[in-house]
Amino acid sequence: MRTPFTLRAAGAAIMLALLGPVSAFADPLSYARYNEVRTTALHLDLKADFGRKTLAGYAELTLNWLDKNARTLVLDTRQLSIARVQVQTPSGGWRPASYMLDKADPKKGQALRISLQDQPNKVRIYYHTAPTANALQWLTPAQTLSGKRPFMFSQSQPIDARSWVPVQDTPAVRFTYTARVAAPNGMRVVMSAENDQQGSGKGGWTFRMPQPIPSYLLAIAIGELQVRNLGPRSAVYAEPGRIEAAAFELADTEKMIAAAESLYGSYRWGRYDMLVAPPSFPIGGMENPRMTFLTPTMIAGDRSLNDLIAHELAHSWSGNLVTNASWKHWWLNEGFTTYVTTRVIESLYGSEVADMNLQVEQEEAIASLKEIPVAKQALLTRDPDVNPDTYTDEGLAYPKGAWFLRTLEQRAGREVFDPFLRGWFDQHAFQSVTTEQFLAYLRANLLDKHPEIMTQAELDEWLYGAGIPASAKRVVSQRFVAVDAQRDAWLKGEQATADLTARSWTAMEWMHFLNDIDNKANAAQLRELDQTFGLRTSRNNEIAYRFYLAAVHANYDVRQPLNAFLMSVGRQKFVVPLYSALLKNPSQAAWARDVFAKARPRYHPETQASVAKLLKK
């Protein structure tokens, strides 16, 4: 049954999320005692100082006390300098409260323990961030497109919100928030909240997020930004030199929202705006509600990489609306979203395009298994939720989780599976959930009614087994079949490079071809391919990356364009594998170290750490 989502239901779901049941487990990556007290609302009053690279001000937390005997509020912090803490009195005034910071843990940061005489409704923490806050990257003017003004952006997922806000930093806790942020003149502030396009920033930029979110979806960016509306409920923000290209690339956003709604119900976040971040943004996209952050590497000039937009939009249902209660259950966010992405792509662009995307996704998942320890190939560990080191490989959770859902869909049929999945989103809207909750829903609403769909043994294999189950059906794109025939003949020298029909290939066909010739084509073949089709100058970063990787493996000299690529692209998906390949090649390792020394300041701290780890090996 396709349950309609009314305003009354939305309100009930929000209240359930804010005041809902106490979790049966503790998040091992958080110090918060959220079985005793939960944050229901947050207000931030901050000032950005680009000279000191800090945010300073206060965070005000509204609290719901669940344990009437509790007298301590424990919050997550990392490198925060706490100036003072106040609690609200019954009369509405404020009085000091005593507090202490625990010894710092390399992964979790420091617990901020606030001792209380009673159970106040609100607590204020005055603080400032460190210039090295994990979540915040402060860019100099030289690192921006215009070179005129600096830029700052955040990346809070998974547990870095605590480096810029003292908060219960766990996806098990959801809260609404408001904010006022002061920034230098000529710079716009945007947040994962309602943004005022007409705002001037005079007196500070103000924000309101009326739907409850987990802390990892807190997001902020400050810079020289312009905005272009894409439709009645969508817009894109970007640096002036990129705004027109961004608006062109994202023109299908409204169509994507409509396509997703036709499958999974109303879009419940008001607006879907996007920020195209500077090149150092370390990931493809971050699904911050009301303000998705995107890498500029998705701008190809032909809208060929719009599956990234579909993925981040899909999070508006899977991840943002229904959220994993801890990072052990990561696949509930990313596996579901990857499945939904394919359905949106199919609805908008047809089954042929969806099949090509899906085949590349499945092939890359299979190929990744050789690099992932067997113990991390399960969607879910059976271990108690206390050891983050045993969690599933983050990357594999995307395609394997989607493959599991697709298997259920294929066997149940869409007329059965689509209402089932929409019901999952409707019934758990604005809640944080576990795999056990999904399994209970799966049994009650699908498997008990249709036991032939999947046995318990196969279900266990999908969830707890290594690799991809042998029963999983692999999609076969007929367009790829034609590409494969040419690829095989070309590798054998039976088909001339000039005779390849590649000038009419889509981006996905090129990606598939380049994936398959990597470590097979020799330097002479890659040189001819490059000279014929201009691959070193491709505007499509997905194509360029795969070409450079194959070139490095084949010892085909692409140092000049590869240097430019590594100096201008900070996305870890591209940067880390390229450095890894270069460092494994004795003739390229010293050059790679020199490039990294120059490029390092342009990279996000996460990217810096990932490449530095490779260099130590």
Side-chain angles (χ1 to χ4, degrees), residues 188 190 195-197 226-238 243 246-247 250-251 253-254 257 267 270-276 290-294 309:
R188 177 186 287 273
V190 295
N195 288 262
D196 181 5
Q197 290 188 9
Q226 292 184 356
V227 59
R228 293 289 185 275
N229 282 307
L230 304 171
R233 51 180 171 173
S234 62
V236 60
Y237 294 77
I243 189 66
L250 301 172
T253 299
E254 287 286 342
I257 299 172
Y267 178 76
R271 290 188 60 85
Y272 186 75
D273 293 339
M274 294 161 285
L275 167 74
V276 177
R290 293 178 178 262
M291 186 61 71
T292 283
F293 286 11
L294 296 170
I309 315 303

Side-chain angles (χ1 to χ4, degrees), residues 4-5 21 43 47 130 143 202 208 211 219 241 245 247 303 319 334 383 386 404 432 457 485 492 495 520:
F5 190 86
H43 176 70
K47 181 179 181 179
Q143 292 173 295
K202 189 174 182 179
R208 184 179 76 101
Q211 292 90 3
R303 301 172 186 160
E334 296 298 350
D383 293 346
V386 294
F404 167 52
S432 299
K492 293 175 184 177
Q495 181 167 354
K520 296 177 184 176

Side-chain angles (χ1 to χ4, degrees), residues 323-368:
T323 305
N324 51 221
S326 81
W327 299 111
K328 172 181 177 177
H329 304 277
W330 166 263
W331 80 277
L332 291 176
N333 275 23
E334 296 298 350
F336 276 62
T337 294
T338 305
Y339 170 82
V340 170
T341 300
T342 301
R343 295 296 306 276
V344 172
I345 291 293
E346 179 185 332
S347 176
L348 201 57
Y349 301 116
S351 59
E352 190 175 70
V353 173
D355 282 351
M356 287 193 290
N357 277 265
L358 191 54
Q359 185 172 334
V360 169
E361 174 188 304
Q362 292 179 349
E363 289 174 345
E364 292 184 347
I366 296 293
S368 74

